[in-house]
C-alpha cells in the first residue's frame, strides 16, 4: 500500500521531514488513470531524486464546459497499486476543496501569455490557464526539486517551462519521452474511450506525422506537408483540429530552419487525441 495523503497539512508534514533530512524530492503531476507512460515518469525521477511524490487530481479548471471532465476515467485503487509497484513513495490525492480552498469561482488564476495562444490554446480556450494554475499550486504544495512531464503534451511542457522561468519556481523540469503502444499510438488515458474501430484507426495520427517528417526531409514545404497530413487524418476518419509544423519553442517554423516539431490534434468520434514528432529537416538524430 502506498502512503497516501488527502490534506495539505499531512502533505506538508511529510515534505518537511524529507527536506529536514536533506532528501531531494521529485513530483509526477497526473490526473490519474495511470498507464505505462506515467510509470515511466516515476522511473525517470527515481534515478534522480531520493523521494518521488505523484499527485492524482482531475483538475476541473482545465476542462472546457463541453469537455470530458465528468466522464474522465477515475481509477484510484488501480492508480495507488501501480504507483506502489513503480516505486513511488507518496500519493498526493487532494479533493477539489483541498486544491481550491477559496472555491472554484474565487481562485487565483495563473495565465501564461504567448505560447498558450496557438494550437491547443486556440482550440481549448482557458485550458492552459487551468493547467498553469494547478501546476503552480502543486509546486507550492509539494515543493519538488524536480518535476517530470511527458513530451506527448508538448505545448503543456512549453507552458510550464514559461511558468517556472517567469515565477522563478526552484524546480527543474524533466521532460520524458512519449510512451507508445506497439502500433505507434501515443499512450493516453483517453485511448480507452476508443471503440474497436476507432482504436484501429488511431495509429494513423503518428503515421501521418511520420509521413509529414519524411516529406519535409524530402524537400516539401511545411505548409504542404502539414496539409497532406491533415488529408491522411481525414481519410482515416479523424475530424482535424490542427496539424502544424513549428519551431521547437513553438514559434512559427520558417522553411529552411533545421529543427522542427510537427503537432496534431484531431477527434475520432468523441475522443480527442494529440501527438507530436520532433525532427530535423536534414535527418540529424535529435539529442534525446
Ligand atoms: O498532463 C496532465 O495530466 C495534466 O495536465 C496535469 C499536468 C497533471 C495538470 O492537471
Amino acid at each position: 500500500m502506498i502512503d497516501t495523503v488527502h490534506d495539505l497539512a499531512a502533505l506538508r508534514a511529510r515534505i518537511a521531514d524529507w527536506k529536514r533530512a536533506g532528501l531531494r524530492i521529485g513530483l509526477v503531476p497526473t490526473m490519474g488513470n495511470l498507464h505505462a507512460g506515467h510509470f515511466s515518469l516515476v522511473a525517470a525521477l527515481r534515478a534522480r531524486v531520493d523521494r518521488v511524490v505523484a499527485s492524482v487530481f482531475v483538475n476541473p479548471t482545465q476542462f472546457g464546459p463541453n469537455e470530458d471532465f465528468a466522464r474522465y476515467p477515475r481509477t484510484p485503487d488501480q492508480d495507488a497499486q501501480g504507483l506502489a509497484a513503480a516505486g513511488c513513495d507518496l500519493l498526493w490525492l487532494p479533493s477539489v476543496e483541498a486544491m481550491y480552498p477559496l472555491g472554484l469561482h474565487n481562485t487565483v488564476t495563473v495565465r501564461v501569455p504567448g505560447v498558450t495562444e496557438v494550437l491547443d490554446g486556440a482550440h481549448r480556450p482557458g485550458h492552459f490557464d487551468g493547467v498553469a494554475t494547478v501546476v503552480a499550486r502543486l509546486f507550492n504544495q509539494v515543493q519538488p526539486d524536480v518535476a517530470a512531464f511527458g513530451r506527448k503534451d508538448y505545448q503543456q511542457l512549453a507552458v510550464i517551462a514559461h511558468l517556472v522561468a517567469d515565477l522563478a519556481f526552484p524546480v527543474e523540469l524533466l521532460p520524458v519521452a512519449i510512451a507508445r503502444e506497439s502500433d505507434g499510438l501515443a499512450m493516453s488515458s483517453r485511448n480507452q474511450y476508443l471503440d474497436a474501430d476507432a482504436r484501429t484507426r488511431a495509429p494513423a495520427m503518428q503515421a501521418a506525422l511520420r509521413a509529414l517528417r519524411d516529406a519535409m526531409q524530402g524537400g516539401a514545404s511545411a505548409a504542404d506537408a502539414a496539409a497532406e497530413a491533415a488529408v491522411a487524418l481525414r481519410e482515416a476518419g479523424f475530424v482535424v483540429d490542427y496539424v502544424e509544423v513549428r519551431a521547437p519553442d513553438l514559434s512559427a517554423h520558417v522553411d529552411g530552419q533545421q529543427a522542427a516539431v510537427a503537432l496534431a490534434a484531431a477527434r475520432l468520434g468523441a475522443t480527442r487525441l494529440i501527438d507530436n514528432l520532433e525532427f530535423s529537416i536534414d535527418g540529424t538524430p535529435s539529442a534525446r
Side-chain angles (χ1 to χ4, degrees):
M1 274 291 280
I2 187 165
D3 187 12
T4 303
V5 287
H6 299 268
D7 68 87
L8 189 54
L11 175 70
R12 288 235 155 105
R14 301 291 198 292
I15 300 291
D17 282 350
W18 289 342
K19 296 248 172 201
R20 258 194 305 275
L23 301 179
R24 272 168 61 77
I25 297 170
L27 171 66
V28 180
T30 83
M31 296 206 300
N33 194 242
L34 305 179
H35 50 67
H38 295 109
F39 300 131
S40 73
L41 304 183
V42 175
L45 277 176
R46 280 237 63 89
R48 287 169 174 80
V49 298
D50 303 301
R51 294 289 181 273
V52 178
V53 181
S55 60
V56 171
F57 180 67
V58 185
N59 173 33
T61 66
Q62 70 187 74
F63 289 80
N66 300 316
E67 294 186 350
D68 56 344
F69 174 68
R71 73 173 185 135
Y72 196 85
R74 290 156 170 90
T75 50
D77 295 342
Q78 192 185 306
D79 293 345
Q81 280 170 22
L83 286 169
C88 186
D89 298 289
L90 181 66
L91 170 55
W92 169 220
L93 198 61
S95 61
V96 173
E97 293 71 28
M99 185 59 72
Y100 295 107
L102 302 187
L104 282 175
H105 297 291
N106 208 16
T107 171
V108 173
T109 298
V110 180
R111 195 183 68 79
V112 172
V115 72
T116 57
E117 283 151 28
V118 297
L119 302 167
D120 259 24
H123 286 269
R124 303 183 65 189
H127 168 66
F128 287 122
D129 294 354
V131 170
T133 297
V134 82
V135 169
R137 282 160 196 260
L138 287 166
F139 285 174
N140 278 333
Q141 293 161 352
V142 179
Q143 298 179 20
D145 298 285
V146 189
F149 293 89
R151 287 191 182 279
K152 176 175 153 282
D153 295 296
Y154 191 97
Q155 190 175 11
Q156 170 171 282
L157 200 46
V159 170
I160 294 167
H162 189 128
L163 170 81
V164 164
D166 198 32
L167 296 188
F169 279 105
V171 179
E172 177 196 336
L173 296 183
L174 177 65
V176 177
I178 301 175
R180 296 188 182 277
E181 305 289 354
S182 55
D183 58 11
L185 177 64
M187 288 188 186
S188 164
S189 302
R190 290 187 167 104
N191 290 352
Q192 67 189 263
Y193 298 152
L194 300 167
D195 63 20
D197 175 57
R199 178 63 188 80
T200 62
R201 294 167 185 271
M205 180 172 272
Q206 176 59 194
L209 293 176
R210 287 174 186 265
L212 179 164
R213 174 201 59 196
D214 294 348
M216 284 187 70
Q217 289 177 342
S221 71
D224 287 351
E228 277 296 310
V231 169
L233 285 177
R234 286 188 193 103
E235 283 173 359
F238 283 86
V239 174
V240 177
D241 276 358
Y242 60 80
V243 181
E244 287 192 34
V245 178
R246 294 206 158 241
D249 66 357
L250 295 182
S251 61
H253 182 270
V254 184
D255 280 329
Q257 196 176 350
Q258 279 303 319
V261 55
L263 307 103
R267 276 165 285 130
L268 274 173
T271 307
R272 188 173 187 275
L273 301 179
I274 61 170
D275 201 353
N276 67 77
L277 186 63
E278 295 169 76
F279 61 98
S280 65
I281 308 296
D282 65 5
T284 312
S286 89
R288 23 184 184 274

